[in-house]
């Protein structure tokens, strides 16, 4: 067996290993994205119940309730998981919805009757649990995306990635509102 | 001052509320102190009595050894059948018998404390909390959790049962051993010594998540290959350095392993003085193993004046950590997810 044949064999082996590894990483990221969607679906299913209870008491928060309804519709809309832009848009909408829901939960504090309503208490508890599951799936997704993006961007797997058209995926980041610093004075008035 | 930094005025009990342990101790434990103190003094005199022959025999052995070393060291043939050798053997037998006598009476006294005082301390927590110095527990059914090592012999003592906010708790002090080698070299080797804690709740876990101690780069890689589950990479570098996580459900593993839980796990390990803590979430159970050579739930020194304060404080501190674990993981909440 000639030396050049062995070298070609080794190169092919490495190439195949990189190819398999890239596909595995891509699939893992997609699986993680599905995991997020499962949790987002749970949240979306929960929102109508919360809104139904809230509407009875929160006359002055109509705008917020409408925003939540619209964002919910946007999040539950079907999208192409292969398209980076669509994934990005979907995750952005999900995070905006989380922000608005957070605002709603804070607003509940101003309505003592609603706050003490047992159905609302139970719904809030379930909602918080769903949010924790979403946070967990986000951590899994971001870790899978980090592995994929590193493989897509770093040589030599970047060459294989270009050849088989595997591209990077967007991170699921917290929305700008939750990243903003908290003004403690506002709450301690 | 006690090494257990716990307040006895506000102690958490089974329903999550707090009660004063001071009044409870005065009513249910302190009335037994005098009786036990009397028994302790009787034990002390028995030990002293055994020490007299022990000292004489010990001194005699030392003298014989000295004699053999100085006068007979160059004459091995003479020492072979020397009556001194038989004297030494006789002395050793007496030493063992005296030691056994002390051990027997001390253990008997300790056991009496465990059977009388400890159930009363645990009863303070309410909701079916009980303590037994013996146990019918078996770890054979828990082998699939990957944190119970393979074993041939099992021995348990100190069985604590109870419910905290509706979560069933069982704690046992376990000693698991396995036969190693073959032929003449065959002997039982300890594969686990420490506490096994099981929580059973109404909440069910979809997958199985195993948290084991970190075994270094190669060890972790091998363990990952042998495990039925996938490795979970966590963001917390401190936790990653100490533990290695495997799970059949990556999302659930991350949901369970929050920073708060990781900190609680390390604190629990510190409280129990464990060099290695491992746990497994499976079905409706959370299983925790705390490996340590320390003997848990043992009465403090029986050679100093008894008041049971340190026993109460250590049990309260240890139980408080276990309750914290349930609260952190919200094991008591079942909201149908």
């Amino acid at each position: 067996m000639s030396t050049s044949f062995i070298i070609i064999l080794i190169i092919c082996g490495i190439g195949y290993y990189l190819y398999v590894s890239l596909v595995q990483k891509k699939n893992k990221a997609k699986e993680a994205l599905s995991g997020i969607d499962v949790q987002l679906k749970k949240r979306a299913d929960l929102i109508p119940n919360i809104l139904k209870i809230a509407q009875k008491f929160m006359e002055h928060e109509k705008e917020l309730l409408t925003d939540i309804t619209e964002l919910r519709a946007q999040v539950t809309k079907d999208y192409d998981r292969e398209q980076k832009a669509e994934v990005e848009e979907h995750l952005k909408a999900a995070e905006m919805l989380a922000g608005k829901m957070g605002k709603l939960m804070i607003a509940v504090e101003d309505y003592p009757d609603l706050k003490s309503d047992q159905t609302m208490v139970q719904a809030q508890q379930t909602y918080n649990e769903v949010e924790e599951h979403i946070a967990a799936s986000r951590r899994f997704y971001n870790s899978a995306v980090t592995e994929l993006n590193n493989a897509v961007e770093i040589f030599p797997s970047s060459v294989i990635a270009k050849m088989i058209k595997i591209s990077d995926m967007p991170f699921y980041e917290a929305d700008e509102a939750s990243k903003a610093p908290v003004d403690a004075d506002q709450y301690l008035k | 001052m006690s090494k257990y930094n716990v307040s006895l005025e506000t102690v958490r009990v089974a329903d999550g509320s707090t009660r004063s342990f001071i009044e409870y101790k005065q009513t249910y434990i302190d009335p037994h102190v005098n009786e036990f103190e009397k028994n302790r003094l009787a034990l002390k005199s028995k030990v002293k009595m055994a020490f007299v022959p022990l000292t004489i025999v010990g001194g005699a052995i030392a003298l014989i050894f000295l004699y053999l070393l100085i006068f007979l060291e160059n004459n091995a043939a003479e020492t072979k059948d020397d009556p001194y050798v038989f004297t030494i053997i006789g002395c050793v037998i007496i030493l063992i018998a005296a030691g056994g006598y002390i051990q027997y009476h001390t253990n008997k006294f300790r056991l009496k404390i465990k059977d009388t005082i400890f159930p009363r301390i645990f009863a303070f927590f309410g909701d079916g909390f009980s303590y037994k110095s013996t146990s019918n527990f078996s770890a054979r059914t828990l082998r699939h959790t990957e944190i119970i090592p393979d074993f041939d012999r099992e021995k348990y003592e100190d069985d604590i049962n109870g419910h905290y906010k509706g979560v069933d708790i069982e704690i046992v002090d376990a000693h698991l051993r396995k036969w190693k080698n073959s032929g003449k070299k065959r002997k039982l080797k300890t594969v686990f010594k420490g506490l096994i804690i099981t929580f059973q709740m109404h909440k069910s876990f979809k997958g199985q998540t195993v948290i084991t101690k970190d075994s270094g780069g190669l060890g972790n890689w091998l363990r990952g290959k042998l495990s039925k589950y996938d490795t979970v990479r966590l963001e917390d570098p401190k936790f990653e350095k100490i533990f290695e996580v495997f799970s059949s459900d990556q999302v659930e593993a991350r949901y369970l392993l929050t920073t708060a839980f990781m900190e609680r796990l390390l604190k629990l390990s510190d409280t129990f003085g464990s060099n290695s803590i491992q746990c497994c979430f499976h079905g409706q159970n959370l299983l925790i193993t705390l490996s340590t050579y320390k003997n848990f739930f043992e009465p403090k020194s029986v050679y100093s004046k008894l008041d049971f304060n340190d026993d109460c404080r250590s049990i309260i501190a240890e139980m408080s950590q276990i309750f914290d674990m349930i609260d952190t993981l919200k094991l008591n909440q079942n909201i149908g997810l």
Side-chain angles (χ1 to χ4, degrees):
Chain A
M1 213 186 291
S2 70
T3 319
S4 51
F5 179 72
I6 294 171
I7 292 170
I8 290 169
L9 207 68
I10 291 171
I11 291 171
C12 287
I14 294 172
Y16 180 71
Y17 171 77
L18 291 174
Y19 163 77
V20 170
S21 165
L22 269 165
V23 173
Q24 277 177 338
K25 282 174 179 133
K26 175 83 184 172
N27 288 342
K28 195 175 170 190
K30 274 165 76 182
E31 180 202 336
L33 186 59
S34 310
I36 290 180
D37 286 338
V38 170
Q39 303 305 329
L40 291 180
K41 174 83 172 54
K42 280 185 193 170
R43 176 163 74 187
D45 290 346
L46 199 63
I47 288 173
N49 290 332
I50 295 176
L51 293 186
K52 216 165 146 186
I53 308 162
Q55 262 165 354
K56 288 186 217 161
F57 301 89
M58 300 171 94
E59 284 293 314
H60 307 291
E61 312 283 350
K62 271 198 176 142
E63 198 185 327
L64 179 63
L65 300 181
T66 317
D67 285 351
I68 290 172
T69 316
E70 279 169 10
L71 280 166
R72 181 190 172 271
Q74 211 175 317
V75 171
T76 48
K77 212 168 62 182
D78 211 14
Y79 69 102
D80 186 355
R81 287 198 181 101
E82 297 288 337
Q83 298 299 318
K84 188 183 170 184
E86 284 194 33
V87 173
E88 219 160 15
E89 203 182 319
H90 173 69
L91 295 178
K92 206 173 159 191
E95 210 35 46
M96 276 167 72
L97 177 60
K100 293 282 179 193
M101 283 302 289
K103 273 186 189 163
L104 178 76
M105 292 301 170
I106 293 168
V108 169
E109 299 292 315
D110 295 335
Y111 299 86
D113 290 342
L114 177 61
K115 200 180 147 190
S116 57
D117 186 278
Q118 267 315 301
T119 353
M120 190 61 184
V121 171
Q122 178 74 27
Q124 273 182 314
Q125 215 175 33
T126 313
Y127 179 78
N128 289 339
E129 189 91 347
V130 172
E131 280 301 320
E132 282 177 34
H133 274 97
I134 292 174
S137 27
R138 172 159 59 192
R139 284 160 68 198
F140 175 42
Y141 172 75
N142 283 345
S143 132
V145 166
T146 306
E147 277 185 37
L148 172 72
N149 290 0
N150 284 344
V152 166
E153 287 163 22
I154 297 169
F155 180 82
S157 52
S158 56
V159 179
I160 309 278
K162 265 191 194 138
M163 280 164 66
I164 56 171
K165 287 180 184 145
I166 286 183
S167 59
D168 60 343
M169 281 179 80
F171 284 100
Y172 184 5
E173 286 171 307
D175 75 333
E176 292 306 314
S178 59
K179 279 189 211 165
V182 178
D183 181 6
D185 291 342
Q186 215 179 336
Y187 297 96
L188 299 171
K189 268 176 201 170
Chain B
M1 193 169 151
S2 172
K3 61 176 178 170
Y4 302 101
N5 191 20
V6 286
S7 158
L8 296 183
E9 277 173 30
T10 49
V11 177
R12 209 166 356 148
V13 291
D15 60 1
S17 65
T18 54
R19 276 171 61 199
S20 166
F21 186 76
I22 297 167
E23 287 159 29
Y24 179 87
K25 186 172 179 281
Q26 282 165 358
T27 319
Y28 298 98
I29 296 165
D30 288 350
H32 298 273
V33 171
N34 283 341
E35 184 202 333
F36 273 97
E37 182 58 17
K38 226 179 344 180
N39 291 343
R40 187 186 72 83
L41 292 173
L43 170 74
K44 213 173 159 184
S45 29
K46 274 181 194 167
V47 170
K48 266 184 193 165
M49 270 170 64
F51 259 110
V52 177
L54 268 181
T55 317
I56 295 168
V57 168
I61 292 179
L63 283 172
I64 292 165
F65 263 118
L66 204 66
Y67 173 77
L68 291 173
L69 276 172
I70 295 168
F71 298 103
L72 303 170
E73 63 177 346
N74 295 325
N75 197 345
E78 267 184 51
T79 54
K80 201 176 171 187
D81 303 318
D82 204 287
Y84 292 116
V85 175
F86 297 104
T87 316
I88 290 176
I89 293 169
C91 288
V92 170
I93 292 169
I94 295 172
L95 273 179
I96 292 169
Y101 174 81
I102 296 173
Q103 189 72 25
Y104 169 76
H105 284 284
T106 312
N107 283 352
K108 205 173 141 188
F109 182 61
R110 281 175 177 275
L111 194 65
K112 200 176 170 195
I113 294 178
K114 285 169 84 167
D115 287 338
T116 317
I117 301 299
F118 282 21
R120 285 177 166 77
I121 302 174
F122 279 98
F124 167 78
F125 296 107
D127 203 8
F129 263 95
S130 65
Y131 168 87
K132 278 191 298 172
S133 54
T134 54
S135 174
N136 296 323
F137 185 86
S138 177
R140 291 198 186 274
T141 53
L142 298 169
R143 280 174 165 166
H144 69 281
T145 59
E146 295 194 3
I147 59 168
I148 300 284
D150 197 20
F151 63 90
D152 297 311
R153 294 273 171 89
E154 48 186 337
K155 193 184 158 203
Y156 306 93
E157 54 179 80
D158 305 314
D159 199 330
I160 296 141
N161 274 282
H163 319 277
Y164 174 72
K165 292 183 180 174
V167 175
D168 297 345
I169 304 169
E170 183 168 19
I171 306 167
V172 287
D173 198 351
H175 187 190
L176 309 177
R177 290 178 300 164
K178 184 162 176 61
W179 285 110
K180 299 273 170 168
N181 303 323
S182 57
K184 279 185 181 174
K185 283 184 179 173
R186 192 169 186 251
K187 62 174 183 178
L188 278 169
K189 210 178 160 198
T190 299
V191 285
F192 176 80
K193 172 134 185 32
L195 288 184
I196 297 180
I197 307 171
T198 47
F199 297 111
Q200 197 183 28
M201 59 225 105
H202 306 296
K203 193 175 193 163
S204 191
F205 301 110
K206 279 184 285 172
Q208 183 160 321
T209 299
V210 182
I211 302 159
T212 65
K213 61 184 171 187
D214 190 277
S215 346
L218 186 67
N220 291 339
W221 180 81
L222 268 173
R223 182 128 202 195
K225 291 285 163 205
L226 293 172
S227 176
K228 286 180 277 178
Y229 311 115
D230 294 332
T231 307
V232 179
R233 294 263 158 262
L234 295 167
E235 299 84 351
D236 189 330
K238 191 182 161 196
F239 196 82
E240 254 308 296
K241 214 173 153 185
I242 305 168
F243 299 108
E244 192 64 13
V245 183
F246 304 96
S247 182
S248 59
D249 188 327
Q250 293 276 335
V251 174
E252 190 174 66
R254 283 171 171 89
Y255 162 74
L256 294 165
L257 304 173
T258 58
T259 313
F261 171 74
M262 296 176 202
E263 279 169 7
R264 190 63 63 206
L265 204 62
L266 293 174
K267 207 171 166 194
L268 187 79
S269 177
D270 283 347
T271 307
F272 284 92
S274 167
N275 47 23
S276 159
I277 184 167
Q278 304 194 107
C279 61
C280 174
F281 295 89
H282 62 109
Q284 288 186 304
N285 304 286
L286 165 59
L287 175 76
I288 299 176
T289 59
L290 284 147
S291 167
T292 167
Y293 278 88
K294 183 180 155 190
N295 221 348
F296 288 98
F297 309 111
E298 284 301 316
K300 303 304 160 207
S301 175
V302 291
Y303 298 111
S304 53
K305 198 174 185 307
L306 287 178
D307 57 12
F308 302 122
N309 278 339
D310 269 357
D311 298 299
C312 296
R313 282 179 195 276
S314 73
I315 288 172
I316 288 167
E318 285 155 3
M319 291 310 290
S320 169
Q321 283 303 316
I322 287 171
F323 294 162
D324 276 350
M325 190 66 113
I326 295 173
D327 287 339
T328 306
L329 283 171
K330 292 183 256 174
L331 298 179
N332 55 314
Q333 289 176 16
N334 179 24
I335 50 177
L337 280 171

